[in-house]
Amino acid sequence: MSSELRYTANTQLEHLHARYTGTGHADITKYEWLTHQHRDTLASIVGHPTLTSYLAIADNESIGRVKFEMTERMLQPCGPPPAKDED
Amino acid sequence: MHLYNLTLQPPTAITQAIVGNFSGARQQEIIVSHGTRLELLRPDPQTGKVATVIACDVFGSIRSLAAFRLTGGTKDYAIVGSDSGRIVILDYDPKTSSFVKLHQETYGKSGARRIVPGQYLAVDPKGRSVMISAIEKAKLVYILNRDAAANLTISSPLEAHKNASIIHHIVGLDVGFENPTFAALEVDYSESDQDPTGEAFNNAEKLLTYYELDLGLNHVVRKWSAPTDPRANLLVQVPGGQLASSDRYDGPSGVLVCCEDHIIYRHMDAPQHRVPIPRRRHPLEDPDRGLIIVAAVMHKMKGAFFFLLQSEEGDLYKVTIEHEEEEVKALKIKYFDTVPVASSLCILKSGFLFVASEFGNHYLYQFQKLGDDDDEPEFSSTSYPSFGMDDPTLPLRRAYFKPHALDNLALADELESLDPILDAKVMNLLPNSDSPQIFTACGRGARSSLRMLRHGLEVEEVVSSDLPGIPNAVWTTKIKEDDLYDSYIILSFVNGTLVLSIGETIEEVQDTGFLSSAPTLAVQQIGEDALLQVHPHGIRHVLSDRRVNEWRAPSGKTIVTATTNKRQVVVALSSAELVYFELDLEGQLNEFQDRKAMGSTVLALSVGEVPEGRQRTPYLAVGCEDQTVRIISLDPESTLETISLQALTAPPSAICIADILDASINKSHPTTFVNIGLQNGVLLRTVLDPVNGQLTDTRTRFLGTRPIRLLRIQTQKNPAILALSSRSWLNYTHQNLMHFTPLILDTLDYAWNFSAELCPEGLIGIAGSTLRIFQIPKLGTKLKQDSIPLAYTPRKFISHPTNRYFYLIEGDHRSYSDATATSKLNELRSQGKMIDDDIVNLPPETFGRVKAPAGQWASNIRIIDPVDAKTVNVIPLDNNESAFSLAIVPFAARGGELHLVVGTAQDTFLSPRSCTSGFLRTYRFTDDGTGLELLHKTETDDVPLAVMPFQGRLVAGVGKALRIYDIGKKKLLRKVENKGFGSAIVNLNTQGSRILVGDMQESIFFAVYKAPENRLLIFADDTQPRWVTAACMVDYTTVAAGDRFGNVFVNRLDMKVSDQVDDDPTGAGILHEKGILMGAPHKTKMLSHFHVGDLVTSIHKVSLVAGGREVLLYTGLHGTVGILVPFVSKEDVDFISTLEQHIRSEQPSLVGRDQLAWRGYYVPVKAVVDGDLCETFARLPASKQSAIAGELDRTVGEVLKKLEQLRVTASGF
């Protein structure tokens, strides 16, 4: 990409998307949006000590286990993506 | 409504702990994070006790901590990763006893976000660089160095980002002095996000990646990446690198990868070693359930190292690596001991292990041995083909061990922790108590407890013995000035004096030179080696050779009161005259030529201690019957001249001058306080100006109903004042700040210091005819805890309206109840399985219970006598039911007879919430409330999470439905229902016919029951979604509630709407009103909002001091107890909010979080002043204090007084 093109609005937006994972855009699918939401939520739970404690008490698991399972779930929180239409 | 938030008990949960030489001295210290608070703990290697050195609120959420030391340095620094979007390096300054922020580098947005670093920290073991990482993608590396002046420097960040990768853990690799390298455990999700077949997801690899910081190029490169076990969760650093002095390698370097069921040793270009994590062979264990490591610590000793890893069951494993130079020969693991599951483990060089428990009390253990020569089976990677890596996808043969009681460790100290508080009640149940107690249901699983918190210092009684008569005073004294311990106890009776000597036993002695035929007024060790006794007819000066110099009171007059110090004696005669004596350099006591006539009977006298290096103290305080206190000079220039006078509201009963350090007034020197106790039980505390003798800054406090007696004593070598009234209070310095706390002790008549070999810091007191010797072990604590053990995690408890018992429900998910476990074991036995009874019968308080699959519950109803602190009865629930709610209901249909209704559910799953059936169990009380008789069970379609009595019937929140039930013969009868709630009803409150419903996700609903039409209608709700966890009705239209994210808020309904709803007899108006915003027709208005930083589990409207104002008291999951105090006047609001504003700019947060942004984490702060921030005013430097006070047109003293007054009038703390 030439440096002149960088100044157009479109590339700026692309740059922002690359930089801030989880930012939405006009053509986002429901699946993508939901996956972002879930990953954000899971990361927030792991990042807040009171929330991990709360879940650990409710489920009677250790805090370490709760954090681990939450982080694991971030890989694919909402199941596999929907199959693409073949057109 | 404007509120003042004040934390009474800061959170006690420890989320992380690090060890290091933070003060730069030889001794190691521990820094712990309480989530929103940093605390420095110092374990004493001699006594094995842990003392708090300093604790401070950071006004942010601490997510990670790491200690590091620059190469060649002797002092450790702490790096803090928080939700501030900044990395902060803290230094502990032992001189000022505070944390100093050395560096603060901003790298991202605030908040605990997915791609903003702060979640993980890893430091290079040589202290050259640090990596800070987010949960996803972002990793930043900072280079640490020192400049020419040996100051710590930090570079600008280097990025080591990797898009679309989730980071499980990072750790610094020990590579000696080669380029710093960090290892990260990552999973890439970009492929599984694109693959609809799910194959990419199933094949997703967890990568162990090395990031090398090239110090020459100032650049981070991905050096190596290799797939490892897909269920890996934790990395542990393995020592490595060559010693500078020799060619020997410290260790093989690399990492331990802790996976589910396995530990793998891994390093670049080196063979892997894998061992299984040994398990307990419990017959009921779920064989499919893996075991993970949740905490780990590596310890290096001379030429050796080992690891302690802790599994989620609490078992510690010792892991060792056999190596030759850099080549690993074997990885070995064996069971070590079992301790509570920790959030962090710290090993101290002095041979201690600090276990920061994830729930409950924290422990310090001392190593007895390192488990080297015991019979414990050890599992080595060499006993498996290819070091256990034959087929990495297949699990290794399972290894088993038998847990045992502590063998290698011995308990040294315990730090009490309320974490987690799940429910609380505030009530005054104790006889002879004028302030309420806080009862908290704490803990998890078998380590749960119900604790009673009382405001006051815990007192440990050493001796208590009965005396022949009732003494009216007691003293102890040394014989010589430089004696270490006291030698005599002097007891004064109405008609005589008894002298006891302290030795191996305490016995009466005769030939001490003291007059035994008269009562004593004062005793003093005076000069180098003389003793002094003041009695009503004179003063006896007993010299070391037993000669007695006696001064006799003039005939017809007696001595009424006296005060002494090491060099001065002042007595007051019945003729209202003062006589002054001073010790001269020869050790003779000389009377001053004049006597001072006071004009009014003298009731109390006090001189301070002689300041070091001085001849005398220049001021005497005299309290007279005419309700005045006068300060009189003892200076040779102006002896016995009156300097100043203070009028009182009642005659004084005692005066005490003491020099006590209070950093809020003077940082470096003790302040002279004149404490005046009045006959009506009020204490005045004034500051004596050392230059002109004026009394300033008067503060008053009501101590009790009896006239006050004041005594100067010593605590931890510092002067303190004991104030005795109907309660006993101690005024002392702790962490440089003055505290004023009641002692939890029966009323004392008199007390004095007591120092003997076995009890160097004790106190001796008399109560009636008993003599008691006691100690105060935990200075600085404000709440005394008494606990009652529970079997499972407490859920809720209630008190009975007429008897004194508490009814508590407890339950654990993934647990077998005792009955289920027994029947399952019997079944196994009948199948001929061998069952090891030792493992089955392990005490669950230490070892926990065996984990059952999800959907298994163990639950009890427990009846507790809180006053005697014991369980009266336990009713276990059968059929895999678990209790979630309870209420005591006076059913009108049964003539108001009280029934206990417990909401339970069978085979409950948490996410998504489901159960085969919910039940409302109705019990009748038997045996005066100590027993329960089950009347019937009523089925419900969902889990009843909230039940409450309502107008002689029961109202229950069953899932999304609110129902009213009445009692029937065979079951409860459903009368009316409303299903319009958002997700699930979690709590209920009522007044009149109004019901306030707290929804799990949708905030508080206002509902009303219209009896004529039997309608249950929602008429108002909140504009914001709130995940309500606790709520309390403040008045008929106002509700205070807490949510899951740590907010407390107050909502109010418009008075007009309230009236209109009440005036509508049938509710037809509400029924046909149009809803707003897809909800109820009316909305509540938010009055105040505040982020406390802890998940609020209960809110109560109570008055904490007798006759005091009502405040809102809340408890938090991590052990917080706080109050919200309504301001009484507009002036107070203005004053305190301006003060808050100034402190906010003067006192930036230690973790770099903006205080205002923190308190407005989710919703901007509204109408609440942060009292914790305001109280840091006392710790500010004097120049800043006076600058702020100047801005407010007050003096520093006035500001401090206002803050203290707010605290004391609201909480009594």
Side-chain angles (χ1 to χ4, degrees):
Chain A
M1 199 191 300
S2 68
S3 59
E4 290 86 352
L5 273 177
R6 274 179 199 277
Y7 293 98
T8 65
N10 206 17
T11 46
Q12 256 184 18
L13 200 64
E14 267 175 23
H15 178 69
L16 277 177
H17 275 119
R19 192 177 164 128
Y20 299 108
T21 315
T23 316
H25 52 88
D27 298 326
I28 199 164
T29 65
K30 185 180 172 188
Y31 173 79
E32 281 173 67
W33 179 83
L34 204 60
T35 306
H36 281 319
Q37 289 287 312
H38 277 250
R39 287 201 180 118
D40 283 343
T41 306
L42 291 165
S44 172
I45 291 171
V46 175
H48 286 101
T50 49
L51 285 177
T52 44
S53 297
Y54 195 59
L55 294 183
I57 293 162
D59 210 12
N60 201 15
E61 291 280 13
S62 70
I63 291 178
R65 171 68 82 165
V66 169
K67 279 190 183 171
F68 173 54
E69 298 296 351
M70 291 286 163
T71 322
E72 281 285 281
R73 211 200 286 174
M74 280 178 73
L75 177 57
Q76 196 168 75
C78 309
K84 283 196 186 103
D85 296 341
E86 286 177 25
D87 52 357
Chain B
M1 182 150 64
H2 227 96
L3 299 166
Y4 183 68
N5 173 67
L6 205 55
T7 305
L8 301 181
Q9 162 80 48
T12 50
I14 297 184
T15 55
Q16 213 181 347
I18 51 170
V19 65
N21 295 37
F22 297 107
S23 56
R26 289 195 75 104
Q27 205 186 350
Q28 283 189 308
E29 285 122 353
I30 298 169
I31 292 183
V32 297
S33 144
H34 293 295
T36 57
R37 201 173 154 84
L38 272 183
E39 188 170 355
L40 185 80
L41 302 173
R42 187 173 290 153
D44 186 330
Q46 266 78 48
T47 61
K49 298 284 172 225
V50 182
T52 301
V53 181
I54 174 192
C56 52
D57 280 309
V58 300
F59 304 104
S61 160
I62 302 163
R63 295 160 73 197
S64 51
L65 274 179
F68 81 99
R69 177 188 296 202
L70 289 173
T71 312
T74 54
K75 187 179 165 84
D76 286 288
Y77 301 98
I79 307 185
V80 189
S82 65
D83 63 348
S84 64
R86 289 164 166 166
I87 185 169
V88 167
I89 300 184
L90 295 180
D91 174 27
Y92 171 67
D93 182 359
K95 274 200 210 95
T96 58
S97 185
S98 59
F99 288 113
V100 179
K101 195 154 58 179
L102 292 183
H103 288 287
Q104 171 177 305
E105 294 295 317
T106 310
Y107 52 69
K109 289 184 184 179
S110 61
R113 291 165 203 264
R114 172 146 72 116
I115 53 158
V116 178
Q119 183 67 30
Y120 306 111
L121 269 176
V123 289
D124 172 56
K126 293 283 181 272
R128 295 168 298 169
S129 67
V130 56
M131 177 182 262
I132 185 164
S133 141
I135 293 182
E136 187 181 314
K137 180 184 163 185
K139 285 184 268 349
L140 296 173
V141 177
Y142 289 89
I143 303 170
L144 304 163
N145 214 331
R146 41 164 96 76
D147 64 8
N151 294 319
L152 176 72
T153 61
I154 188 164
S155 70
S156 44
L158 303 169
E159 288 187 358
H161 297 348
K162 183 167 181 289
N163 263 331
S165 71
I166 294 157
I167 300 154
H168 276 262
H169 201 226
I170 60 169
V171 74
L173 223 57
D174 194 347
V175 290
F177 285 102
E178 287 170 32
N179 277 334
T181 307
F182 299 93
L185 203 52
E186 301 174 330
V187 187
D188 193 301
Y189 64 70
S190 51
E191 275 177 30
S192 36
D193 262 8
Q194 300 301 327
D195 179 17
T197 60
E199 201 175 326
F201 169 71
N202 292 330
N203 296 335
E205 282 179 327
K206 199 167 269 178
L207 299 172
L208 177 67
T209 310
Y210 280 9
Y211 291 90
E212 182 180 358
L213 165 65
D214 193 322
L215 285 170
L217 294 172
N218 208 18
H219 185 62
V220 182
V221 287
R222 188 170 295 121
K223 194 181 180 187
W224 176 66
S225 192
T228 182
D229 192 296
R231 296 285 285 172
N233 68 319
L234 195 75
L235 298 175
V236 189
Q237 179 193 89
V238 176
Q242 262 171 315
L243 286 176
S245 48
S246 66
D247 291 342
R248 231 165 49 77
Y249 280 89
D250 251 4
S253 189
V255 288
L256 290 184
V257 184
C258 303
C259 321
E260 206 164 44
D261 284 333
H262 297 100
I263 310 284
I264 304 173
Y265 168 77
R266 196 82 203 266
H267 192 34
M268 195 170 66
D269 307 328
Q272 300 183 42
H273 285 254
R274 186 166 74 145
V275 287
I277 302 176
R279 301 165 68 112
R280 302 177 185 179
R281 199 192 290 270
H282 196 286
L284 298 182
E285 75 167 359
D286 180 359
D288 299 331
R289 191 187 151 88
L291 191 64
I292 63 165
I293 297 294
V294 293
V297 62
M298 185 266 292
H299 189 64
K300 273 199 250 189
M301 296 168 299
K302 258 202 181 88
F305 61 89
F306 69 90
F307 305 87
L308 280 185
L309 308 184
Q310 190 180 34
S311 75
E312 54 189 326
E313 313 251 77
D315 300 320
L316 287 174
Y317 304 99
K318 186 184 173 185
V319 173
T320 46
I321 293 177
E322 259 177 38
H323 66 106
E324 272 171 22
E325 298 298 296
E326 279 191 289
E327 190 189 341
V328 174
K329 294 289 176 197
L331 175 68
K332 292 180 174 175
I333 185 166
K334 70 196 273 194
Y335 169 65
F336 191 71
D337 260 339
T338 304
V339 296
V341 182
S343 55
S344 276
L345 297 168
C346 293
I347 296 181
L348 283 89
K349 290 208 175 88
S350 45
F352 289 95
L353 173 71
F354 180 69
V355 176
S357 312
E358 56 173 22
F359 296 111
N361 295 356
H362 313 293
Y363 298 92
L364 186 74
Y365 294 95
Q366 186 162 26
F367 283 100
Q368 303 295 307
K369 52 191 168 67
L370 289 177
D372 288 327
D373 318 300
D374 52 16
D375 311 330
E376 208 55 60
E378 190 168 46
F379 303 93
S380 168
S381 58
T382 50
S383 44
Y384 301 93
S386 321
F387 302 124
M389 292 306 288
D390 199 21
D391 183 354
T393 55
L394 289 180
L396 291 176
R397 192 173 65 243
R398 284 225 161 128
Y400 289 98
F401 71 92
K402 203 164 164 180
H404 54 63
L406 284 186
D407 181 30
N408 298 304
L409 299 170
L411 186 63
D413 198 10
E414 183 171 2
L415 301 179
E416 279 179 337
S417 167
L418 292 172
D419 162 58
I421 301 183
L422 295 159
D423 196 12
K425 292 277 176 292
V426 186
M427 308 174 87
N428 190 358
L429 291 181
L430 290 183
N432 314 323
S433 168
D434 52 1
S435 57
Q437 300 88 48
I438 305 169
F439 295 88
T440 55
C442 311
R444 197 186 62 169
R447 294 176 67 225
S448 307
S449 57
L450 181 81
R451 301 193 192 193
M452 175 170 74
L453 311 182
R454 272 188 285 173
H455 177 218
L457 278 169
E458 189 176 342
V459 167
E460 200 178 275
E461 194 162 271
V462 184
V463 178
S464 172
S465 70
D466 280 329
L467 295 167
I470 297 179
N472 47 33
V474 62
W475 296 269
T476 59
T477 181
K478 304 170 183 178
I479 296 182
K480 292 193 184 101
E481 196 179 0
D482 43 11
D483 280 354
L484 225 54
Y485 301 117
D486 292 326
S487 301
Y488 293 141
I489 298 172
I490 297 103
L491 289 161
S492 167
F493 295 88
V494 181
N495 53 6
T497 296
L498 187 70
V499 183
L500 307 170
S501 84
I502 309 168
E504 302 223 323
T505 55
I506 291 178
E507 52 196 26
E508 191 178 343
V509 279
Q510 301 291 353
D511 54 342
T512 52
F514 282 108
L515 183 71
S516 61
S517 59
T520 303
L521 295 173
V523 171
Q524 174 75 40
Q525 194 280 317
I526 195 162
E528 261 176 40
D529 51 6
L531 292 173
L532 185 99
Q533 180 194 21
V534 182
H535 58 87
H537 302 291
I539 301 173
R540 285 170 76 89
H541 186 193
V542 185
L543 303 178
S544 56
D545 52 7
R546 295 284 153 83
R547 275 187 301 132
V548 176
N549 291 336
E550 184 143 16
W551 176 89
R552 283 179 202 288
S555 58
K557 300 176 187 174
T558 54
I559 298 176
V560 289
T561 178
T563 179
T564 59
N565 63 27
K566 283 217 178 316
R567 307 199 62 85
Q568 293 160 294
V569 179
V570 183
V571 299
L573 301 179
S574 50
S575 56
E577 285 173 302
L578 293 182
V579 191
Y580 174 53
F581 302 86
E582 202 175 293
L583 208 64
D584 65 17
L585 295 172
E586 279 84 49
Q588 286 288 326
L589 203 58
N590 294 325
E591 184 186 345
F592 183 69
Q593 65 268 29
D594 293 331
R595 291 182 184 164
K596 167 101 175 170
M598 296 304 296
S600 168
T601 307
V602 177
L603 298 176
L605 285 175
S606 180
V607 288
E609 290 290 354
V610 181
E612 212 153 297
R614 298 283 183 86
Q615 273 289 318
R616 62 182 73 80
T617 167
Y619 299 114
L620 164 73
V622 184
C624 301
E625 204 173 21
D626 59 359
Q627 306 194 0
T628 57
V629 165
R630 289 166 224 208
I631 300 297
I632 286 172
S633 169
L634 298 179
D635 197 80
E637 307 281 303
S638 56
T639 313
L640 297 185
E641 278 178 23
T642 303
I643 298 173
S644 60
L645 187 141
Q646 172 147 350
L648 308 170
T649 52
S653 59
I655 300 183
C656 183
I657 300 184
D659 295 343
I660 301 180
L661 183 73
D662 184 3
S664 62
I665 299 176
N666 190 328
K667 304 276 174 275
S668 46
H669 297 291
T671 311
T672 307
F673 290 104
V674 180
N675 285 273
I676 306 159
L678 305 186
Q679 284 181 351
N680 57 10
V682 171
L683 180 79
L684 305 179
R685 196 208 76 182
T686 61
V687 175
L688 180 69
D689 190 314
V691 181
N692 58 19
Q694 295 299 315
L695 293 175
T696 53
D697 189 11
T698 306
R699 302 196 192 167
T700 59
R701 194 158 179 155
F702 176 71
L703 299 192
T705 48
R706 301 208 318 192
I708 293 174
R709 195 160 251 171
L710 296 169
L711 305 146
R712 194 160 55 213
I713 59 159
Q714 297 253 320
T715 55
Q716 296 177 341
K717 311 267 182 296
N718 291 316
I721 292 172
L722 193 64
L724 308 176
S725 178
S726 53
R727 290 170 94 182
S728 313
W729 298 71
L730 187 68
N731 186 6
Y732 65 103
T733 303
H734 183 73
Q735 291 170 8
N736 291 344
L737 285 179
M738 190 124 101
H739 293 257
F740 201 83
T741 317
L743 299 180
I744 298 192
L745 192 69
D746 299 337
T747 309
L748 284 181
D749 298 320
Y750 207 92
W752 203 258
N753 262 20
F754 178 83
S755 168
E757 209 169 336
L758 290 174
C759 173
E761 281 252 304
L763 293 169
I764 185 165
I766 43 180
S769 64
T770 11
L771 183 74
R772 323 176 70 166
I773 299 176
F774 52 93
Q775 309 186 72
I776 302 165
K778 289 179 188 159
L779 284 177
T781 54
K782 296 217 153 163
L783 289 168
K784 178 184 188 276
Q785 305 184 6
D786 295 290
S787 77
I788 306 165
L790 307 174
Y792 307 114
T793 311
R795 302 278 155 175
K796 280 177 186 139
F797 69 100
I798 48 171
S799 63
H800 193 279
T802 54
N803 70 39
R804 60 177 179 173
Y805 300 121
F806 279 160
Y807 297 83
L808 179 139
I809 46 173
E810 49 185 23
D812 269 337
H813 189 210
R814 295 177 196 274
S815 293
Y816 293 113
S817 66
D818 292 343
T820 319
T822 318
S823 73
K824 283 201 177 258
L825 286 173
N826 287 338
E827 201 178 305
L828 286 175
R829 278 198 190 98
S830 65
Q831 288 166 11
K833 290 246 168 65
M834 285 294 289
I835 282 167
D836 187 347
D837 282 330
D838 289 353
I839 288 192
V840 174
N841 297 329
L842 286 172
E845 310 84 72
T846 333
F847 295 94
R849 291 190 173 82
V850 62
K851 278 267 183 294
Q856 271 292 333
W857 290 81
S859 184
N860 288 336
I861 304 169
R862 187 179 284 266
I863 307 172
I864 291 170
D865 183 338
V867 179
D868 291 348
K870 62 173 193 216
T871 295
V872 180
N873 202 348
V874 180
I875 296 108
L877 299 184
D878 48 3
N879 300 329
N880 198 19
E881 267 178 61
S882 180
F884 292 96
S885 55
L886 82 171
I888 291 177
V889 189
F891 280 109
R894 289 277 189 280
E897 190 196 343
L898 292 171
H899 290 79
L900 181 74
V901 178
V902 181
T904 66
Q906 192 178 2
D907 306 331
T908 318
F909 285 86
L910 291 175
S911 177
R913 189 181 68 247
S914 71
C915 59
T916 48
S917 173
F919 293 103
L920 292 168
R921 288 173 165 243
T922 312
Y923 290 92
R924 175 189 284 147
F925 294 100
T926 58
D927 305 326
D928 299 328
T930 58
L932 295 175
E933 179 198 338
L934 181 65
L935 292 182
H936 46 64
K937 278 164 79 174
T938 312
E939 281 186 28
T940 59
D941 52 353
D942 204 340
V943 188
L945 287 174
V947 287
M948 180 184 68
F950 176 74
Q951 298 184 346
R953 300 202 271 189
L954 173 83
V955 57
V958 182
K960 291 181 186 179
L962 185 71
R963 293 182 191 142
I964 293 180
Y965 288 92
D966 208 341
I967 195 163
K969 277 217 163 66
K970 295 245 168 101
K971 52 170 60 180
L972 294 172
L973 309 169
R974 188 196 298 183
K975 292 296 175 191
V976 58
E977 166 179 71
N978 186 324
K979 281 186 166 174
F981 296 92
S983 48
I985 294 168
V986 290
N987 57 48
L988 295 167
N989 282 284
T990 182
Q991 261 185 36
S993 59
R994 183 168 296 177
I995 303 172
L996 264 61
V997 181
D999 186 272
M1000 195 181 268
Q1001 295 178 8
E1002 301 286 345
S1003 196
I1004 307 277
F1005 292 87
F1006 281 62
V1008 65
Y1009 176 63
K1010 292 292 180 192
E1013 295 290 318
N1014 195 29
R1015 275 179 186 150
L1016 198 51
L1017 301 165
I1018 303 172
F1019 64 92
D1021 60 10
D1022 196 356
T1023 46
Q1024 297 188 44
R1026 300 269 195 182
W1027 297 55
V1028 175
T1029 50
C1032 161
M1033 229 167 153
V1034 179
D1035 60 36
Y1036 192 51
T1037 54
T1038 318
V1039 62
D1043 75 12
R1044 196 177 286 190
F1045 308 104
N1047 301 304
V1048 280
F1049 56 95
V1050 180
N1051 279 352
R1052 181 170 285 170
L1053 182 72
D1054 192 356
M1055 207 58 201
K1056 261 192 243 151
V1057 177
S1058 174
D1059 291 343
Q1060 185 193 324
V1061 169
D1062 285 352
D1063 291 344
D1064 180 355
T1066 59
I1070 313 162
L1071 197 60
H1072 297 107
E1073 250 176 319
K1074 224 176 120 191
I1076 300 174
L1077 298 169
M1078 297 187 289
H1082 303 285
K1083 301 289 168 193
T1084 53
K1085 207 176 126 197
M1086 188 175 76
L1087 292 188
S1088 4
H1089 188 280
F1090 190 71
H1091 179 246
V1092 294
D1094 196 355
L1095 195 154
V1096 174
T1097 51
S1098 70
I1099 301 187
H1100 314 271
K1101 185 182 159 197
V1102 285
S1103 157
L1104 289 177
V1105 273
R1109 265 185 304 147
E1110 285 193 315
V1111 298
L1112 289 172
L1113 181 139
Y1114 59 82
T1115 57
L1117 190 72
H1118 273 182
T1120 315
V1121 179
I1123 50 171
L1124 292 162
V1125 189
F1127 280 109
V1128 271
S1129 71
K1130 192 89 182 68
E1131 289 83 58
D1132 277 7
V1133 175
D1134 290 343
F1135 174 63
I1136 296 290
S1137 8
T1138 329
L1139 175 69
E1140 185 194 25
Q1141 211 176 324
H1142 284 293
I1143 299 175
R1144 199 179 285 147
S1145 55
E1146 291 294 343
Q1147 182 99 313
S1149 150
L1150 264 187
V1151 295
R1153 186 94 156 102
D1154 178 39
Q1155 185 266 344
L1156 193 58
W1158 164 250
R1159 292 305 188 188
Y1161 204 133
Y1162 298 90
V1163 175
V1165 187
K1166 193 174 178 200
V1168 181
V1169 176
D1170 186 353
D1172 297 339
L1173 181 74
C1174 291
E1175 290 201 339
T1176 60
F1177 180 76
R1179 291 180 188 273
L1180 283 175
S1183 57
K1184 282 188 179 175
Q1185 276 182 337
S1186 48
I1188 292 176
E1191 294 271 342
L1192 295 163
D1193 290 330
R1194 310 281 165 107
T1195 65
V1196 175
E1198 282 167 344
V1199 176
L1200 288 168
K1201 186 176 172 180
K1202 183 81 218 171
L1203 290 173
E1204 186 187 295
Q1205 190 203 337
L1206 269 171
R1207 180 178 262 274
V1208 171
T1209 51
S1211 69
F1213 278 40

